Every structure is written in structure tokens, then in C-alpha cells.
Amino acid sequence: MKTQVLIIGAGPSGLLLGQLLAQAGIDALIIERQTPDYVLGRIRAGILEQVTVDLLHEAGVGHRLAVEGTVHRGIELVFSGQRHMIDVAGLTGGKTVTAYGQTEVTRDLMQARSAAGLPSVYGVSELTLQDLDSNKPWVRFKADGQTQEVQADFVAGCDGFHGASRASIPRHVLREYERTYPFGWLGMLSDTPPVSPHAIIYANSPRGFALCSMRSLTRSRYYVQCPLDDRIEDWNDDRFWEELRCRLDVDTASRLITGKSIEKSIAPLRSFVAEPMRWGSLFLAGDAAHIVPPTGAKGLNLAAADVKLLASALSDWYRLGQSRAMDTYSERSLRRIWKAERFAWWLTSLMHRFPDTDDFGQRMQEAELAYLTSSAAAATTLAENYVGLPLEL
Ligand code: RFL
Ligand code: PHB
């Protein structure tokens, strides 16, 4: 079998790339290890930058987002037992973020793909990537018990942090930068009205970080920082709600509406960048190339930005025969990625309790938060990073 662009992974990166390439008249085949239901069952990101919202509209998958997404003009920071609003829109000339779950973005993209009759193969295994350093790369995989081979002009590695694409780049070519954090996030989803429907709440407390987010006006998403070796079984719903309450200011805690959880999961936190993002005919995008701790809500947004640059680079190649945008893809993407890495690392460091955070460390975090919420200059640096830096820097 042959295709122009073989996309590995049907997460948000792979699906959005497939959609943008289809609009540009470029053939693409998506192969995915899991089933569609499994992909849709992973509860992950919830906050979309304006750049991502615009891109989803441009890709023709913005109808439901426009109706069901909740626009947030600010965020709230809780520290020293008090809640403070950061007027993100006011500080960035009107830019906002939108609460709309990654599962919904994925569902919209999957539906657009199947409605257009575009090809995807789910449930692939034993994937190997071949001749990536030539202009005739090909892959072999198993699907429905049959071994298949596909040749392509280009391969897009959209297969996430644990995928096969990055692992196919020789060690001497790839440079990896990594930091792991000594705690995780315990996330819980519940069909209860969000405690703060108009702004995400980020809380710093001596007991650790907490986050109040939402998926809709009737579905909440909350997180608490937890030790990495905690297990889900250690956290029944009552313990979760109690811990969350303890980390919030009294007013927010008193307004919290609790209920039965419908999902709970523990995620480790990691910062990671792989350079370069291109090797021969292989291009990496999204979590395959970089990971940020979720504190800045940047992961999915960075993935969307990579895909935008990659789709337009591939379109320049097929439409105009120009390779310049492809040749500079890695460098241009990485410029923005490193800035987002810095922001996510900084906000993570500011908001969490580390094993070596002593009383002095706690007061330093609180002093920085007090500065952030009282200085327009400081608040602006937070706001402009939170809504997302311009696509091309
Ligand atoms: P994904 O979503 O991991 O998709 C990769 C896909 O590739 C498949 N795959 C393979 N397919 C074929 N062959 C193989 N060998 C394969 N190996 C893997 C996988 O099955 C999968 O379907 O990567 P992608 O598309 O790059 O998307 C990235 C985002 O998922 C990720 O960055 C965000 O979820 C991060 N994130 C957040 N990002 C935000 O922008 N805003 C947020 O509010 C936000 N919150 C979060 C988050 C991530 C979290 N966790 C669990 C890590 C909150 C959490 C808790
Ligand atoms: C979420 O809604 O899942 C969410 C929101 C903000 C973050 C991370 C996750 O920073």
C-alpha cells in the first residue's frame, strides 16, 4: 500500500494533522495502536488556547466547541488561604482560553475523519519503521492478524511519549532533555457543577497543590498533588474531597459540591524535549517530541501548534515544491516549545510542595504569588504565557 503521509498515532496530534492535510488535498493514512473507544476513554487535557481554538475552527471541527466550550477570561490563584483573580483577558488585549475536553476534541476530529471517508487503521501492533533516512520510508505492522506494509513520502510521528517514532531515530542524532518531578497528580472527574465555572483555580497550600477545573457546567475535573507511589485504591471519594477542601480557601471550599467520582487516575509529572524533531523523512509532533507538566495546560496546545506548522510545511512541499518550511520545522517548533517548557516548569515549581520545601521555601512561593497578584507587570508575564505565545516566534 502507498500513501503520501503516513501518520502514526490517532491522538489529537495525528487526527488534527490528518484533517489539515485532507483540507490541503494531501493523502494520509493514520495507524493507531489502540481502539477508538480506548483513545476516547483517556481523560486528559481540558484547556484550549485561543490559537488552538482558531486552528480547530480553521480545520472545520469547531461547531460543537463553539456551542459547548466555556470561555474563561481569567484564572484564580489561591495561596495563604486567599483567592485572587488574574484578569488574563484584560492583560493580553482580550485573549481568552476555552474549557473543552481533549476527549471532545478527539471525538470531533474522529467524526470529521470518518464522515469524509478518510482511512484509519486501529488496533495495529508490531510496528517497525524502515528507511526513514531515505525518501522512500515504509512501515510494517500487524492489523486484524495480517502483516501489512505501507510506503510513504513522509512519516509523521504523532504517537505520544511512549511511541515507536522517536525510538526509531538513532541515538547519536537525538538529544533528549528531561526532568521528572517528585510527585504526581491525582485527577478525578465527577458529574457535579464546577465550583468555579468561569475560571480555573490553581491552589498553592502547605499540604500541596490543587486544581479546580471543569468539562461543562455539569461536569467537574479536580486534581490534587499526591506522592508518586500512591495508588488509586488509597483514595476513596471522601478522602479526595476532604483533601481538596483543605487545600482551598474557606469560601471556595464551602461552595464545593461533591458527588460520586466517575473517573480517577494518577499521572506523573515530567518535562521532556527531544531535538531535533525531524530525521530524514520522519517528523515528530506533540507528545512524541516533548512533554510538559500539566500545570500550565500547555501539552495539547503545543501539539496543535506543531501540527499547524507541519501541515503547512507539507503543503508547501506538495503545492509549491518548496522544502524550506520542512527544513526549518524542527527549529521553528522548538523555539516556541522551549518557552512553553519554561513556563510549565516555572508554574509547577511555584505551585507545588516539593520534598525539600521548608517553611522558608513555602514563604518564598507565597511572596512570589503575592507579587504576581499585585503587580501588573508580573501578572502580564503569567497571562501572556497562559493564553499562548504567538505561533511563530
Ligand atoms: P497522545 O494523546 O499520547 O496520542 C498518541 C497516540 O499514539 C498512539 N500510539 C501508537 N499508535 C501506533 N503505533 C504505536 N507504536 C503507537 N504508540 C502510541 C497512542 O495510543 C495514542 O493514541 O499524544 P498527542 O496526540 O501528541 O497529544 C498530546 C496530548 O494528549 C497531551 O499533550 C495533553 O493531554 C497534555 N495535557 C494537557 N494539555 C493541555 O494543553 N491542556 C491541559 O489542560 C492538559 N491537561 C494533560 C493534562 C495531560 C495529562 N496527563 C494524563 C498526562 C492533564 C493531564 C492529567
Ligand atoms: C484540566 O481541566 O484537565 C486541566 C486544566 C488546567 C490545567 C491542567 C488540566 O493546567
Side-chain angles (χ1 to χ4, degrees):
M1 216 192 334
K2 271 191 169 181
T3 185
Q4 289 179 309
V5 180
L6 178 80
I7 300 175
I8 305 175
S13 304
L15 287 166
L16 181 57
L17 180 62
Q19 181 73 7
L20 295 174
L21 292 181
Q23 282 184 325
I26 300 167
D27 285 341
L29 170 69
I30 301 188
I31 60 172
E32 162 64 48
R33 180 162 54 189
Q34 307 290 353
T35 63
D37 283 347
Y38 182 95
V39 172
L40 284 174
R42 290 187 301 224
I43 310 295
R44 289 186 171 179
I47 291 290
L48 306 180
E49 294 171 355
Q50 189 63 53
V51 171
T52 307
V53 170
D54 293 345
L55 188 53
L56 292 170
H57 281 291
E58 194 183 312
V61 288
H63 329 289
R64 207 157 62 89
L65 163 63
V67 178
E68 296 178 21
T70 307
V71 173
H72 287 177
R73 298 180 54 82
I75 58 173
E76 295 195 289
L77 298 177
V78 170
F79 59 94
S80 311
Q82 303 285 327
R83 199 173 75 241
H84 305 257
M85 181 77 171
I86 303 262
D87 176 10
V88 168
L91 293 162
T92 59
K95 292 188 185 154
T96 57
V97 297
T98 300
Y100 190 69
Q102 176 167 331
T103 42
E104 305 314 310
V105 173
T106 308
R107 195 186 307 277
D108 295 343
L109 285 163
M110 274 182 182
Q111 269 169 8
R113 189 162 185 84
S114 66
L118 299 168
S120 313
V121 184
Y122 282 87
V124 309
S125 60
E126 297 175 33
L127 172 69
T128 57
L129 294 84
Q130 311 284 348
D131 297 338
L132 293 170
D133 55 344
S134 77
N135 58 6
K136 283 205 171 58
W138 58 281
V139 301
R140 180 183 289 139
F141 57 87
K142 240 179 164 171
D144 287 331
Q146 306 252 326
T147 300
Q148 302 194 27
E149 289 182 1
V150 180
Q151 202 197 72
D153 298 336
F154 301 103
V155 176
C158 300
D159 47 354
F161 183 66
H162 298 289
S165 309
R166 191 182 69 252
S168 307
I169 302 178
R171 292 287 100 186
H172 70 273
V173 173
L174 201 67
R175 178 122 196 232
E176 297 183 337
Y177 302 83
E178 182 167 28
R179 167 134 335 158
T180 54
Y181 298 84
F183 40 73
W185 277 20
L186 168 63
M188 94 104 92
L189 196 65
S190 65
D191 278 329
T192 52
V195 68
S196 173
H198 301 297
I200 307 289
I201 299 177
Y202 291 84
N204 169 295
S205 101
R207 296 179 68 92
F209 172 72
L211 170 57
C212 304
S213 182
M214 60 183 284
R215 291 293 176 271
S216 71
L217 292 175
T218 53
R219 181 166 285 186
S220 299
R221 179 71 167 161
Y222 297 109
Y223 298 92
V224 292
Q225 173 186 347
C226 69
L228 269 175
D229 51 6
D230 270 16
R231 292 163 314 148
I232 291 295
E233 306 81 76
D234 301 333
W235 287 88
N236 63 29
D237 290 357
D238 287 345
R239 178 173 176 211
F240 183 92
W241 291 119
E242 190 47 38
E243 188 58 42
L244 178 61
R245 252 194 223 105
C246 288
R247 298 182 187 192
L248 298 172
D249 58 292
V250 173
D251 174 55
T252 308
S254 70
R255 286 188 291 108
L256 191 64
I257 298 176
T258 62
K260 196 172 147 20
S261 66
I262 51 176
E263 192 264 0
K264 278 199 207 103
S265 52
I266 295 181
L269 270 66
R270 185 193 305 275
S271 296
F272 174 87
V273 181
E275 292 183 342
M277 288 169 64
R278 176 201 185 167
W279 184 60
S281 301
L282 171 69
F283 292 82
L284 301 179
D287 279 16
H290 43 78
I291 296 286
V292 282
T295 325
K298 287 282 162 262
L300 173 59
N301 293 296
L302 280 181
D306 289 355
V307 162
K308 165 76 180 161
L309 293 188
L310 182 54
S312 77
L314 287 165
S315 160
D316 279 6
W317 167 259
Y318 283 107
R319 216 165 28 94
L320 310 168
Q322 290 176 358
S323 66
R324 197 181 145 67
M326 285 201 305
D327 295 340
T328 56
Y329 164 73
S330 175
E331 188 197 318
R332 284 181 296 131
S333 300
L334 284 163
R335 266 208 291 271
R336 189 169 184 277
I337 287 158
W338 275 113
K339 292 199 166 95
E341 288 283 343
R342 183 209 66 82
F343 176 66
W345 159 83
W346 166 75
L347 198 58
T348 301
S349 311
L350 179 64
M351 299 306 296
H352 290 76
R353 182 88 185 177
F354 285 71
D356 62 356
T357 307
D358 54 10
D359 289 351
F360 181 78
Q362 177 67 33
R363 293 303 285 264
M364 281 298 103
Q365 288 182 334
E366 290 168 4
E368 184 164 355
L369 285 159
Y371 174 55
L372 268 177
T373 50
S374 60
S375 151
T380 304
T381 70
L382 169 61
E384 71 178 358
N385 280 280
Y386 195 76
V387 296
L389 297 174
L391 210 47
E392 297 267 11
L393 293 168

